[in-house]
Amino acid sequence: MKKHTIRLHPLGKEIQVNDLTPLIDVLHEFGIEFPCGGKGTCGKCKVRLLDGEIQITYQHRQKLERLALAPDWRLACFSKCTSDITLEVEQFNHLILADESEFDFTPQKGFGIAIDFGTTTIVAQLVDLTSANVLAVETMLNPQVKFGADLISRIQSCLDGHTGEMTQIIRSAIGTMIGLILKRQDVHLEKVVLVGNTVMQLIFSGCDVSPLSMYPFHAGDLGMKVFTPEELGWKLQVKEKVQFYPSIGSFVGSDILAGIAATGLHRKENFTALIDLGTNGEIVIGNIDQIVCASTAAGPAFEGANISMGMRAVTGAISSLSLIDGKMEVSVIGNTAAKGICGSALIDAVAILRKMDLIGMFGEINSGEDKIQLTQKVYLTQKDINEFQLAKAAIAAGLTILSNKLEIQVADIHEIYIAGGFGNYINLTNVVETGMIELPEEKIHKMGNTALIGAKMFLFEDSEMTQEILSKTIHVNLEGDPNFQNIYVDKMLFQ
Amino acid sequence: MEELLEKLLQAVEFGKVDFKSPYPPQLKGENGAYELTIKALESGVGPQQILENALVPAMDRVGKKFSENKIFVPQMLMSAKAMGASMLQLKPFFTSGEIKTKGTFIIGTVKGDLHDIGKNLVAMMVEGAGWTVIDLGVDVPSARYIEAVNNNPGAIVALSALLTTTMVNMGEIVSDIKANLPTTKVFIGGAPVNNDYCQKIGADFYAPDPQGVVEHLSKLAS
């Protein structure tokens, strides 16, 4: 198959892709977000074509005209790669919040780096503190994945005596990322801000993870951790400090603290929710007075774990399904033959199969067969559908139990933000259809990587906002709720 | 009489708790396990017969369908609720000794673990197979299992865990139980465990699903 090279500015990145690869499939790895989910309505993913060709379809041209863009602009979500191209990514020139306003910041001197340290991926952005512009970005797979994909297996590895090694490799990897950024942009750093879940915080800081291995989960000090580059073994200069932001509770970390900051829900009168659909799923509901949050084990099914033909969002994965004239149509990443199905398409598949009445209210396959073919090669088994039910029920039950804690109904939630790379891709109509979020679609907004947005905001803040959020926030253990089982099992149904 | 028992069996199999219960849709407007049990007792059916000829076979079908992936947790729980409605009527006969159970089964989620849905499903299915079940709840340390066996000599003990990090506590609890009560049979179950692990920690039996427990128990009882 023909290969092409994409060059990204101002990042100075080069990527090799297959012919006809949609840009949306490759750009999201670099922290580029698609707030409208690739419908071409928001224009946020616009890129300037500096060199090469991107063919414009009739539909693409209409969208560009409606957004009144100059002839050298393209929408990444409508573009496919058919030649070598060089792009300027508009999104790195602005920090954009989901309410479409750029966030307020007090300009400061110098440069800072914000890092979202996820269980699976790590994103670092170099920010000009005078303008809040992003000058460079680095992404990498968390090198700890060799110790297990999910948090429990990472904790297990720590218990098995690998803590020191895991601390060492992650510090060195992040140091290398920063080094790569500074190689391209020769600047002096004022500060580095890291956010991540509690387990990542403890491992990075070299603290004992074992209390998180079992109830009562009393982890030690989860507060702000401050380091000098020397302590971390980084051969680089940071004028002020390297800060790992405080965790909220045993399984809700500073990535969610940053998410709360990004949504600004702690300053809103109306109840607002944030759902982070990452490897570990977290849910927050709150307003200016009170915030409750919890973690759920929803992630694995959405990442393809425990799904017989499940896979991550890589080449060959079905990324979405739609029902056209009563027939299922699939779209495959990298424009190749379908090899498996990723989380976003799993939601589509279940919603569509239910709509076609191929599965019943309990998730049972109505034909009595043990699987349903989606394409000639890719299918869902009865067990896969059941796994999906567990995942969607975890989210729906989490929303219900947290609402109960606040003495409100889920329907009282004014707005709900979906964060996480995976959240970018999901079809909200289908999410609502499956009952995962029991609110009308117009109340649900995709917000991309809220952890990274919040981490960038923290570059401009002293710890006041952090203290404000922490003082309002309560961490809830969902399994500890006396009604958990009844609510969870009830949410497994399709109404 | 036969017809009443057959109706009760179906009510439990398909999870019809009582007349007003909306589930399952195909039994709308019919009596549920609650009403059918009262009627059966009124028309002179013996409580032991209700247990053995309706509840036990109904839950056996439910357990088989669950292990074949034909039904999922919600339907199983609905059936267990229907069984519970019937059991409530039979309770006096258990207390008086008129109904003989097959034995006592003590179950709990191990120390450090709060997950109880899997444990609850096993407890319901074992009760539905005609055993007296003592549920110790979650986060249960060795001492509480041992105390429960001391109060119920000859009882079988079952340990549940959902996490790889809490599964290790099973080994400790099995050793403690065996050290204090060498003849006690200990079963283990839960997502991270398997038969190899069962052998390794010296437990007596592992089952991948509730039906496996029920079938092994009936072998032990016969």
Side-chain angles (χ1 to χ4, degrees):
Chain A
M1 188 178 271
K2 262 205 291 192
K3 296 265 182 192
H4 308 295
T5 303
I6 305 176
R7 287 181 195 83
L8 294 178
H9 286 290
L11 310 175
K13 271 275 166 195
E14 276 195 19
I15 327 159
Q16 304 290 327
V17 299
N18 286 339
D19 192 35
L20 293 173
T21 296
L23 289 187
I24 192 169
D25 291 350
V26 286
L27 293 188
H28 110 283
E29 271 179 50
F30 295 91
I32 293 163
E33 286 153 10
F34 298 86
C36 73
K39 292 197 194 82
T41 52
C42 75
K44 299 290 183 212
C45 68
K46 68 180 175 190
V47 289
R48 193 198 296 268
L49 188 59
L50 301 175
D51 190 36
E53 282 294 324
I54 291 177
Q55 281 147 22
I56 309 182
T57 60
Y58 174 70
Q59 206 186 5
H60 192 169
R61 187 175 302 281
Q62 277 188 318
K63 302 277 181 193
L64 291 170
E65 281 167 8
R66 253 226 328 270
L67 293 161
L69 292 172
D72 51 349
W73 287 99
R74 300 287 183 274
L75 293 177
C77 65
F78 271 75
S79 300
K80 282 184 177 160
C81 194
T82 54
S83 73
D84 290 353
I85 50 176
T86 305
L87 303 172
E88 176 188 331
V89 180
E90 165 71 6
Q91 237 172 62
F92 291 116
N93 296 329
H94 297 283
L95 287 172
I96 297 160
L97 291 194
D99 62 2
E100 317 258 310
S101 65
E102 292 171 23
F103 80 73
D104 288 333
F105 64 94
T106 316
Q108 299 184 5
K109 278 190 197 149
F111 301 87
I113 285 184
I115 299 171
D116 168 30
F117 174 16
T119 312
T120 309
T121 53
I122 305 171
V123 189
Q125 290 190 337
L126 175 69
V127 179
D128 179 345
L129 299 178
T130 60
S131 63
N133 283 345
V134 174
L135 302 179
V137 65
E138 271 299 322
T139 61
M140 72 183 295
L141 195 68
N142 186 333
Q144 296 173 344
V145 293
K146 70 173 180 194
F147 296 99
D150 56 33
L151 285 180
I152 288 293
S153 49
R154 298 286 169 82
I155 295 170
Q156 185 64 53
S157 288
C158 290
L159 295 177
D160 295 343
H162 300 296
T163 315
E165 190 187 344
M166 288 167 85
T167 302
Q168 166 55 32
I169 65 165
I170 194 60
R171 285 181 175 182
S172 134
I174 292 177
T176 307
M177 280 176 96
I178 298 175
L180 286 172
I181 288 178
L182 295 180
K183 219 183 217 171
R184 293 207 307 273
Q185 301 278 341
D186 188 15
V187 298
H188 293 293
L189 292 179
E190 299 294 319
K191 47 187 150 185
V192 175
V193 164
L194 289 123
V195 299
N197 63 54
T198 314
V199 177
M200 295 305 115
Q201 184 201 18
L202 292 176
I203 296 176
F204 184 88
S205 310
C207 298
D208 182 16
V209 179
S210 62
L212 294 184
S213 68
M214 56 186 74
Y215 178 80
F217 310 113
H218 286 316
D221 175 18
L222 297 177
M224 177 89 79
K225 301 276 194 291
V226 182
F227 307 91
T228 62
E230 299 78 58
E231 284 173 305
L232 298 168
W234 296 353
K235 290 186 186 65
L236 47 95
Q237 301 289 318
V238 180
K239 212 178 273 175
E240 280 181 42
K241 55 201 162 185
V242 180
Q243 290 169 293
F244 205 124
Y245 265 63
S247 291
I248 296 173
S250 42
F251 286 103
V252 180
S254 50
D255 48 347
I256 299 305
L257 181 77
I260 294 173
T263 60
L265 68 85
H266 60 294
R267 290 187 181 155
K268 294 183 181 178
E269 292 291 335
N270 289 317
F271 281 103
T272 303
L274 168 68
I275 302 178
D276 191 332
L277 290 172
T279 309
N280 195 37
E282 292 101 348
I283 305 174
V284 183
I285 310 176
N287 67 0
I288 191 162
D289 300 315
Q290 199 189 352
I291 302 168
V292 289
C293 64
S295 66
T296 73
F302 297 143
E303 293 187 332
N306 306 336
I307 302 297
S308 43
M309 299 201 71
M311 56 194 285
R312 285 182 186 272
V314 294
T315 302
I318 299 177
S319 60
S320 70
L321 282 119
S322 43
L323 194 57
I324 295 166
D325 299 331
K327 272 185 68 184
M328 253 187 288
E329 301 277 341
V330 302
S331 134
V332 182
I333 295 177
N335 208 31
T336 63
K339 283 191 293 200
I341 182 164
C342 74
S344 54
L346 179 64
I347 299 175
D348 295 341
V350 172
I352 288 169
L353 294 176
R354 177 79 183 119
K355 213 182 291 173
M356 294 168 85
D357 208 24
L358 293 174
I359 56 178
M361 69 177 293
F362 296 104
E364 73 277 20
I365 296 176
N366 282 333
S367 68
E369 308 265 316
D370 59 359
K371 61 185 181 193
I372 300 178
Q373 291 300 138
L374 300 176
T375 68
Q376 220 164 28
K377 235 179 111 186
V378 182
Y379 55 79
L380 284 186
T381 65
Q382 180 66 67
K383 219 167 148 286
D384 296 338
I385 295 166
N386 295 155
E387 285 290 336
F388 173 81
Q389 288 174 276
L390 295 176
K392 76 118 181 170
I395 299 287
L399 282 169
T400 303
I401 291 168
L402 290 181
S403 297
N404 291 347
K405 295 274 175 211
L406 292 166
E407 297 179 342
I408 61 169
Q409 307 284 318
V410 173
D412 296 331
I413 298 172
H414 194 68
E415 276 177 309
I416 190 158
Y417 293 102
I418 309 285
F422 163 67
N424 253 326
Y425 280 103
I426 58 179
N427 177 316
L428 294 179
T429 312
N430 289 334
V431 166
V432 172
E433 188 83 24
T434 62
M436 180 158 64
I437 300 178
E438 295 167 299
L439 279 169
E441 192 185 333
E442 55 272 19
K443 284 189 166 187
I444 312 173
H445 313 284
K446 294 176 185 175
M447 202 172 162
N449 189 342
T450 55
L452 189 60
I453 297 171
K456 282 186 277 193
M457 293 171 78
F458 291 154
L459 283 173
F460 295 92
E461 297 273 337
D462 43 35
S463 58
E464 214 169 289
M465 179 164 61
T466 309
Q467 288 313 319
E468 183 194 335
I469 296 171
L470 287 175
S471 69
K472 288 175 188 172
T473 307
I474 296 168
H475 180 242
V476 176
N477 186 351
L478 296 176
E479 279 92 16
D481 188 284
N483 293 316
F484 177 73
Q485 174 172 308
N486 279 336
I487 295 172
Y488 183 50
V489 174
D490 185 52
K491 300 299 181 195
M492 289 176 200
L493 304 179
F494 297 105
Q495 299 298 343
Chain B
M1 200 172 81
E2 282 296 308
E3 200 195 323
L4 255 180
L5 283 178
E6 179 56 32
K7 273 192 169 167
L8 177 58
L9 193 158
Q10 291 212 1
V12 173
E13 180 184 355
F14 296 104
K16 179 80 175 166
V17 178
D18 54 22
F19 180 79
K20 62 180 198 301
S21 154
Y23 298 108
Q26 75 267 25
L27 291 180
K28 207 175 159 190
E30 305 266 339
N31 280 325
Y34 173 78
E35 293 85 5
L36 291 166
T37 306
I38 295 176
K39 279 196 176 169
L41 288 169
E42 279 172 0
S43 60
V45 186
Q48 187 85 34
Q49 220 183 332
I50 293 177
L51 180 70
E52 279 174 13
N53 297 344
L55 304 189
V56 171
M59 292 310 274
D60 186 56
R61 288 184 198 175
V62 171
K64 286 203 173 95
K65 283 193 279 188
F66 185 79
S67 55
E68 289 162 6
N69 288 324
K70 294 246 185 313
I71 60 167
F72 194 42
V73 179
Q75 295 109 304
M76 193 182 218
L77 207 63
M78 226 76 90
S79 290
K81 279 186 181 158
M83 176 193 76
S86 178
M87 284 286 194
L88 208 60
Q89 304 302 317
L90 300 183
K91 193 137 203 185
F93 305 103
F94 280 101
T95 319
S96 71
E98 195 174 326
I99 299 182
K100 297 260 180 300
T101 67
K102 292 176 183 159
T104 302
F105 183 82
I106 297 165
I107 189 166
T109 302
V110 297
K111 177 176 83 171
D113 201 324
L114 296 183
H115 294 91
D116 67 350
I117 295 181
K119 181 258 305 169
N120 293 347
L121 291 176
V122 173
M124 291 160 187
M125 296 309 293
V126 171
E127 191 182 6
W131 290 69
T132 301
V133 173
I134 297 175
D135 186 344
L136 301 178
V138 298
D139 189 29
V140 181
S142 301
R144 291 195 43 225
Y145 290 103
I146 292 167
E147 184 195 352
V149 181
N150 280 329
N151 294 335
N152 298 277
I156 285 164
V157 178
L159 316 179
S160 165
L162 187 79
L163 306 174
T164 47
T165 49
T166 54
M167 154 182 115
V168 293
N169 292 341
M170 284 180 158
E172 185 190 313
I173 295 171
V174 171
S175 316
D176 288 347
I177 295 174
K178 293 284 182 184
N180 284 277
L181 306 152
T183 57
T184 301
K185 291 236 179 314
V186 184
F187 294 10
I188 65 164
V193 300
N194 56 30
N195 202 30
D196 289 345
Y197 187 70
C198 173
Q199 310 272 324
K200 193 180 137 199
I201 64 169
D204 297 290
F205 179 71
Y206 156 81
D209 56 22
Q211 189 63 12
V213 179
V214 167
E215 283 171 10
H216 189 69
L217 280 174
S218 36
K219 258 188 252 160
L220 289 182
S222 62

